[in-house]
Amino acid sequence: MRVHLAQKAETKARSLFDLIEASGPLGSQPNLLARLTPEDRRLVLSQVRAVKLRPKETLFHQGEWQIGIFIIETGQIRTFYTSPTGREITLAYWKPGNFVGGPDVFGESLHMWSGMSVGSTKVFMLRSPDLRSLMLKIPELALGVVEALVYKGKCFSSLIQMLGTRSVAERLAQLLLTLVDSHGQADSSGGIAITKQFTHEDLAHMVGASRVWVTTTLDQLQRRGAIRIRKRQVVVMRPDLLVQA
């Protein structure tokens, strides 16, 4: 039985963005094609190139030249940043209808993030000149792009606020509460087990910290009695202690 300790997330929490989406006023991710008429949709799709991706296949690399956007039809795209030292932070998992490949949607520029498919994924590649032309012809498409950019701006702002104002312990505690909400199951020990297993490295990518910091923080939470770790599974024993972290 799932216990709602935090506001229920629409998707499984796997990044800082998911924490923001679960607890903040961002709303649902926009869909560029949702409001198009059948005729306008056919016009847009006539200008795209369909790209099918296998699970964990790279769509674009950080630092590569960007020449357009990718509208997600099915599956999900994970966007992430890798530092010069190899440290990685996941920004978000983008859903069907949204686009990745910005922020420059009209001209050529360098990708600031990398994009990788989560599972089997299909995207529509739309070149910048074609996107500009279509937006001039289809007001609903233009509105959809603006809404998506506004949403991404809110995401970046919230991400900066969370990284700048919350400690690693606070971010990790909030992540565990959100994972309990989306993956929690009553356990015989009296706690709530997170049924999906995550490595310390996975958790580090989610909260924007090093694996060593995550391991240290988990050990501290376990000593306080907030959680119990067994066979790579986290069992939350005292949710109230996580709220206070």
Side-chain angles (χ1 to χ4, degrees):
M1 179 177 63
R2 294 182 180 177
V3 179
H4 294 261
L5 301 171
Q7 183 178 345
K8 185 173 177 57
E10 184 179 340
T11 58
K12 299 173 182 178
R14 290 166 293 191
S15 67
L16 275 180
F17 172 79
D18 290 314
L19 296 184
I20 296 166
E21 187 180 36
S23 59
L26 295 188
S28 59
Q29 292 194 34
N31 188 325
L32 269 66
L33 307 179
R35 294 187 300 192
L36 300 186
T37 65
E39 181 179 354
D40 287 342
R41 184 182 177 89
R42 283 194 294 270
L43 179 58
V44 171
L45 295 183
S46 71
Q47 301 296 312
V48 306
R49 178 172 63 89
V51 180
K52 293 183 178 180
L53 302 167
R54 299 182 301 274
K56 295 187 177 181
E57 184 174 354
T58 300
L59 179 60
F60 53 86
H61 284 282
Q62 172 185 327
E64 288 183 342
W65 281 103
Q66 174 262 339
I67 58 174
I69 66 171
F70 300 90
I71 303 173
I72 305 169
E73 184 187 36
T74 60
Q76 286 186 321
I77 296 293
R78 177 175 76 98
T79 52
F80 58 96
Y81 172 79
T82 306
S83 73
T85 60
R87 184 171 165 183
E88 181 183 302
I89 180 172
T90 295
L91 170 64
Y93 286 70
W94 303 104
K95 305 174 187 176
N98 212 323
F99 79 88
V100 293
D104 192 345
V105 298
F106 290 138
E108 294 187 359
S109 62
L110 295 178
H111 282 294
M112 301 178 68
W113 305 81
S114 296
M116 178 181 292
S117 60
V118 178
S120 296
T121 300
K122 182 179 178 182
V123 301
F124 296 129
M125 195 281 170
L126 183 57
R127 295 177 62 87
S128 296
D130 296 329
L131 174 62
R132 179 187 289 271
S133 176
L134 288 168
M135 288 175 65
L136 291 173
K137 297 175 183 176
I138 307 174
E140 291 295 342
L141 176 63
L143 288 173
V145 172
V146 171
E147 288 175 351
L149 289 173
V150 169
Y151 187 84
K152 292 178 189 297
K154 289 180 179 179
C155 170
F156 297 140
S157 297
S158 298
L159 180 66
I160 292 170
Q161 291 167 2
M162 181 173 284
L163 288 173
T165 61
R166 295 191 185 183
S167 66
V168 173
E170 290 173 327
R171 298 200 299 267
L172 184 57
Q174 181 60 55
L175 173 62
L176 293 176
L177 288 171
T178 306
L179 291 175
V180 161
D181 193 50
S182 57
H183 298 289
Q185 187 172 37
D187 187 74
S188 58
S189 65
I192 305 167
I194 297 174
T195 57
K196 187 174 178 62
Q197 291 186 350
F198 296 93
T199 66
H200 289 191
E201 187 173 8
D202 291 334
L203 296 175
H205 290 168
M206 295 181 204
V207 299
S210 69
R211 183 185 58 79
V212 174
W213 269 107
V214 167
T215 299
T216 300
T217 304
L218 288 174
D219 288 342
Q220 292 172 348
L221 290 173
Q222 185 164 221
R223 286 197 297 271
R224 290 178 57 192
I227 65 172
R228 180 180 297 170
I229 300 175
R230 63 178 187 212
K231 297 181 180 179
R232 296 177 61 186
Q233 184 180 53
V234 177
V235 181
V236 175
M237 305 302 298
R238 293 281 304 277
D240 58 310
L241 294 181
L242 292 180
V243 173
Q244 297 167 12

